[in-house]
């Protein structure tokens, strides 16, 4: 079951519901570690990465149950083994999110270095630097980050002023979670303001954390002696929503997505409008209608609220069939144009020069066998396949299950013809 076949050329139409956000649920699951007693996390997307994070927490000794709605109940009080092994971290980089919570709550952590990644080197130096500034002693031995607290405060980290050299999403999240249990005040400057950081901060606040400046680049945290497990419903997945909207635009479709949080999608909706789509925003829902070949749109990726790198590959597919030439500039990750070679197999005319892709729109793409190389690259190939003439086989489709819940069921619900085999 590692391949899907897409019979292209069907216009997407109908209504689907957005799932909970992958990039919010992962830090929230990691943050359950700092609460005493049980947390109940709802609106959890059924994703491979969520299963991996659950396994990681269970391996450490947390009590964990998942009910028939995919809601997760976690009690970390029984943790005995604060370790994230290489085997887990290599399949899911977000395992690094365990580092801050573990050292803050248990005074020690051993987390494998994520190592190389398909979309670039993706270091974690800023996570380590931030925790060191809070008094953690950190050594990297044999590919593992060993962290412990050792100071006059016993097992507590110490609040500090931390200036992030670069805007990093999981780096901000790791330090934010740790700061909630540290002694004294922490100020995180140049913090990430991504909506998923905000969702995490809402969960931490509900646990009793004292956080100010949520959603701004200056976050103040007054550390607490303890936090309590609580309930949190995960925000909608803006990248899943954006991906379905691009798919509808490419197939000149007419779709509505419910359970959306529209304010998180401004940059993507602006680009879809520029491409010629008609967008209507309702309360927690977005409708898109497209009656023309897409106009080419230039894209420049940057931290929120600018255009998200996680939507870059999908717009590459859209621009591949646009009526003209566009330039996509990828500023966050080197080597994030691996989908380009695959799109070219389908007839796209794209030239990559450094971190820019110059895309000359063609009349149509043609179905071809292609291979997924990372999560968002695989999404771009699926939506290209939907708009292409003929059949497209996307191999190594397991990447897509890391971040899209039931993607073929949802697309088939909109009229697509996709089979997994
Ligand atoms: C998160 C998202 C990912 C998204 C990315 C950018 C999760 C689980 N993943 O990844 O989907 O594509 O944000 O929006 O939320 N950097 C350093 N040193 C560090 C950390 C980061 O140099 O210690 C650099 C990275 O190489 C990159 C940039 O900072 O160039 C931003 O990366 P970052 O925001 O950390 O990405 P992730 O949090 O890994």
């Amino acid at each position: 079951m590692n391949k899907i076949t897409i019979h292209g050329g069907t216009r997407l139409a109908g209504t689907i519901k957005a799932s909970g956000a992958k990039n919010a649920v992962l830090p929230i699951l990691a943050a359950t570690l700092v609460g005493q007693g049980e947390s109940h996390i709802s609106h959890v997307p059924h994703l491979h990465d969520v299963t991996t994070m659950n396994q990681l927490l269970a391996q450490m000794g947390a009590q964990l149950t998942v009910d028939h709605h995919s809601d997760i109940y976690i009690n970390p009080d029984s943790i005995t083994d604060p370790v994230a092994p290489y085997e887990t971290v290599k399949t899911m980089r977000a395992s690094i999110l365990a580092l801050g919570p573990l050292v803050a709550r248990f005074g020690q952590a051993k987390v494998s270095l994520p190592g190389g990644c398909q979309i670039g080197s993706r270091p974690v130096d800023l996570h380590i630097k931030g925790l060191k500034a809070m008094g953690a002693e950190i050594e990297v031995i044999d590919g593992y980050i060993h962290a412990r607290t050792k100071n006059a405060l016993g097992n507590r980290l110490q609040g500090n002023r931390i200036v992030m050299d670069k805007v990093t999403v999981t780096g901000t999240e790791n330090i934010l979670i740790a700061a909630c249990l540290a002694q004294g005040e922490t100020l995180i400057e140049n913090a990430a303001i991504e909506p998923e950081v905000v969702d995490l901060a809402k969960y931490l606040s509900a646990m009793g954390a004292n956080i100010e400046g949520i959603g701004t680049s200056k976050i103040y945290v007054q550390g607490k002696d303890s936090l309590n497990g609580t309930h949190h419903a995960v925000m909608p997945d803006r990248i899943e929503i954006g991906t379905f909207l691009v798919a509808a635009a490419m197939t000149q479709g007419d779709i509505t997505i419910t359970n959306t949080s529209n304010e998180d999608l401004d940059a993507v909706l602006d680009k879809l409008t520029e491409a010629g789509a008609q967008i209507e925003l309702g309360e927690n829902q977005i409708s898109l209608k497209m009656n023309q070949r897409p106009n080419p749109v230039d894209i420049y990726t940057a931290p929120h609220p600018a255009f998200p790198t996680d939507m870059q590959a999908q717009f590459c597919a859209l621009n591949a069939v646009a009526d003209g030439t566009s330039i996509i500039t990828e500023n966050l990750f080197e080597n994030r144009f691996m989908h380009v070679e695959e799109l070219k197999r389908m007839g796209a005319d794209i030239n990559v020069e450094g971190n820019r892709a110059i895309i000359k729109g063609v009349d149509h793409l043609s179905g071809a066998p292609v291979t997924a190389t990372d999560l968002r690259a695989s999404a771009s190939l699926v939506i290209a396949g939907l708009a292409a003439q003929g059949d497209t086989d996307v191999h190594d489709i397991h990447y897509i299950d890391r971040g899209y819940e039931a993607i073929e069921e949802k697309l088939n619900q909109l009229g697509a013809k996709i089979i997994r085999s």
Side-chain angles (χ1 to χ4, degrees), residues 23 93 122-126 166 168-170 309-310 332-333:
N23 285 355
R93 214 190 105 80
R122 300 181 82 175
V124 290
D125 54 314
L126 301 175
K166 262 190 189 178
T168 154
V169 176
T170 49
T309 173
D310 285 350
L332 269 86
F333 297 113

